[in-house]
Structure formats: C-alpha cells, structure tokens
Amino acid sequence: MQNQKQLLIDYWRKEGIVRNPGIFSAFKKVKREFFVLKEFRSDAYKDVPLPIQKEQTISQPTAVVMMLEALELGPGMKVLEIGAGSGYNAALMAEIVGLKGKIITVERISELVHFAKENLKQCNIKNVEVIQGDGSKGYLKEAPYDRIICTAAAPEIPEVLASQLKERGVIVIPVGPLSGQVLVRARMVKGELHPEKLGDFMFVPLKGKFGQ
Ligand code: SAM
C-alpha cells in the first residue's frame, strides 16, 4: 500500500499536478485507508473514487489534490468545506492549515456526519468541526472564511457562499449540470468574485436550497 501511495506522489510531482509542499506532507501523513469502507481498504491508494454510505463517494485522490492545489491553502487559514463525506478532504486540509487554522465541514447526511467524525477521531485530528446541515447555504456562524471548497457540483456559484468569503478569499467549486461540470476557482476582490475555469470534472450533485 505504501508503494501505491508513493506512486501517486511521484505522478503528481512529475505532471506538476501538485506544487504546494503542504499537500504532499498531508497526503503522506493522513491514512486514506481510515476513510474508506472496510471492504475497500486494500483499494485505498488506487486513483479512483470509492463508494461510501448512502450512494456517496470519497473522491479520487488526483481530483482531491487538484482541488486542494487550486485552493491555495496555507497555514492558519479558516476553511469552509461543503460535503464532508468521509472526512478525508477535511483531514488533509486540517494538516495543511495546522493547529492555528480551522476547518468547518458541512454534510447533509447524518450517517456521513457520524462516519466523518469517527474517521477524524481515529486519526486524532482536532482542528475540524463537522456540522450537519445544508451546506449550499454556507455556514454563517463561523464566516467569513479564507477559503471555501465545495466537493459536490452546483448549478452556479451560490451567492450566499460568496458573501461568506473574506476579501482576497478563494472559493473552489465544480459548476454545471449533472452530465458534466467545470471546476471553477474564484477570488473575492473588492467585493466582487473573479472566476476562472480550471477544467472538466464529474462530481455528485450539490443538494439543498442552492443546489440541483
Ligand atoms: N469531501 C468528501 C470526502 O473527502 O470524502 C467527498 C465528498 S462527496 C464527493 C460529496 C458530499 O457532498 C456527499 O457526502 C454529499 O452528501 C454532500 N452534499 C451534497 N449536497 C450537500 C449539501 N447541500 N450540504 C452538505 N453536504 C452536501
């Protein structure tokens, strides 16, 4: 399994997919095998999405690191994630932002809230808060955020999420219909979002008030 993990690291380095050294350290440290269902443990470092409860998925490792690279994460940041799923992405981000930073991750399915909390506990990760709710509305209580990442596809960038970003803050979100989406990174500058398209992706749908 360690060999498969190293192969992914080598691939991301060679292709220039990951540049932020914090992503490499976090990926080395966090055990993806703790975030997949028991029957899939031996597949933890295959570059594929894997099923979790309630017909949801833990995303493919390469898709995860591409999103994290786009997010321009650094130590001390406060991050909102929409779609906790297994908690794996939150665990990687928690390592990158460190103990002076914080991750708030919102998940709508109670079974997954429980799954994510248990997985994070097993890895002794303390700077992640898992909240049950409709993340398409963001999470006002802890706003504003340095970064917002949405791990499910939205029809457009919900305005309410943009309003919870700090000045110079960045949101990364797949946008588009269920048949296929574009990954978008947008930065808040002087109260206005500046979006750029990063490439085609396929995600599960964002549900809820501002979802599809
Ligand atoms: N980040 C996750 C991980 O590391 O395992 C993978 C996320 S999975 C691809 C997308 C998640 O978004 C699913 O768990 C789904 O239930 C959740 N989701 C979809 N719509 C949501 C909403 N409106 N609010 C919160 N979570 C939502």
Side-chain angles (χ1 to χ4, degrees), residues 56-57 81 83-86 89 107-109 112 134-135 151 207:
Q56 300 301 318
T57 54
E81 178 187 42
S86 68
N89 193 40
E107 172 56 56
R108 69 184 189 98
I109 300 174
L112 290 174
D134 177 5
T151 63
K207 303 280 191 186

Side-chain angles (χ1 to χ4, degrees), residues 151-192:
T151 63
E156 56 189 30
I157 304 178
E159 255 178 53
V160 65
L161 293 186
S163 72
Q164 293 177 23
L165 264 183
K166 287 184 189 172
E167 171 65 14
R168 304 294 308 168
V170 171
I171 178 167
V172 170
I173 180 166
V175 174
L178 297 184
S179 49
Q181 310 98 33
V182 173
L183 187 66
V184 174
R185 167 174 53 199
R187 193 180 306 274
M188 180 62 74
V189 183
K190 295 186 182 146
E192 235 180 74

Side-chain angles (χ1 to χ4, degrees), residues 35 52-59 64 81-91 105-109 112 115 131-137 150-153 203-211:
F35 294 82
I52 52 176
Q53 295 91 336
K54 298 280 173 185
E55 291 169 7
Q56 300 301 318
T57 54
I58 170 171
S59 309
V64 172
E81 178 187 42
I82 296 126
S86 68
Y88 178 66
N89 193 40
T105 181
V106 185
E107 172 56 56
R108 69 184 189 98
I109 300 174
L112 290 174
F115 186 53
I131 308 280
Q132 181 165 8
D134 177 5
S136 77
K137 297 191 274 189
C150 185
T151 63
F203 276 84
V204 295
L206 179 72
K207 303 280 191 186
K209 188 168 180 198
F210 300 105

Side-chain angles (χ1 to χ4, degrees), residues 55-199:
E55 291 169 7
Q56 300 301 318
T57 54
I58 170 171
S59 309
Q60 174 188 3
T62 295
V64 172
V65 297
M66 282 172 119
M67 288 184 83
L68 293 185
E69 183 68 35
L71 202 56
E72 300 174 357
L73 276 180
M77 287 182 176
K78 191 192 227 187
V79 183
L80 173 68
E81 178 187 42
I82 296 126
S86 68
Y88 178 66
N89 193 40
L92 292 177
M93 295 194 292
E95 288 296 333
I96 300 168
V97 301
L99 286 178
K100 288 193 175 146
K102 186 174 181 186
I103 314 296
I104 316 290
T105 181
V106 185
E107 172 56 56
R108 69 184 189 98
I109 300 174
S110 59
E111 216 170 316
L112 290 174
V113 170
H114 179 72
F115 186 53
K117 280 187 181 170
E118 284 300 307
N119 297 340
L120 289 159
K121 197 162 137 199
Q122 219 185 140
C123 292
N124 202 27
I125 290 172
K126 298 203 160 66
N127 51 341
V128 176
E129 202 177 326
V130 187
I131 308 280
Q132 181 165 8
D134 177 5
S136 77
K137 297 191 274 189
Y139 189 64
L140 194 56
K141 200 170 154 204
E142 291 272 355
Y145 301 96
D146 297 291
R147 300 289 185 261
I148 298 180
I149 179 168
C150 185
T151 63
E156 56 189 30
I157 304 178
E159 255 178 53
V160 65
L161 293 186
S163 72
Q164 293 177 23
L165 264 183
K166 287 184 189 172
E167 171 65 14
R168 304 294 308 168
V170 171
I171 178 167
V172 170
I173 180 166
V175 174
L178 297 184
S179 49
Q181 310 98 33
V182 173
L183 187 66
V184 174
R185 167 174 53 199
R187 193 180 306 274
M188 180 62 74
V189 183
K190 295 186 182 146
E192 235 180 74
L193 265 190
H194 293 256
E196 70 189 285
K197 292 179 179 171
L198 302 178

Side-chain angles (χ1 to χ4, degrees), residues 3-68:
N3 189 33
Q4 280 180 316
K5 198 168 184 175
Q6 189 58 45
L7 285 176
L8 281 174
I9 292 171
D10 294 344
Y11 165 61
W12 296 333
R13 191 170 278 129
K14 183 166 159 268
E15 298 297 325
I17 291 169
V18 176
R19 294 196 174 88
N20 180 346
I23 299 177
F24 285 122
S25 330
F27 181 73
K28 281 181 195 162
K29 190 161 173 198
V30 177
K31 293 184 184 315
R32 191 170 186 259
E33 55 271 38
F34 282 1
F35 294 82
V36 302
L37 298 176
K38 278 198 187 83
E39 56 268 39
F40 292 111
R41 285 223 165 124
S42 59
D43 299 323
Y45 295 100
K46 288 190 180 153
D47 200 11
V48 291
L50 293 171
I52 52 176
Q53 295 91 336
K54 298 280 173 185
E55 291 169 7
Q56 300 301 318
T57 54
I58 170 171
S59 309
Q60 174 188 3
T62 295
V64 172
V65 297
M66 282 172 119
M67 288 184 83
L68 293 185

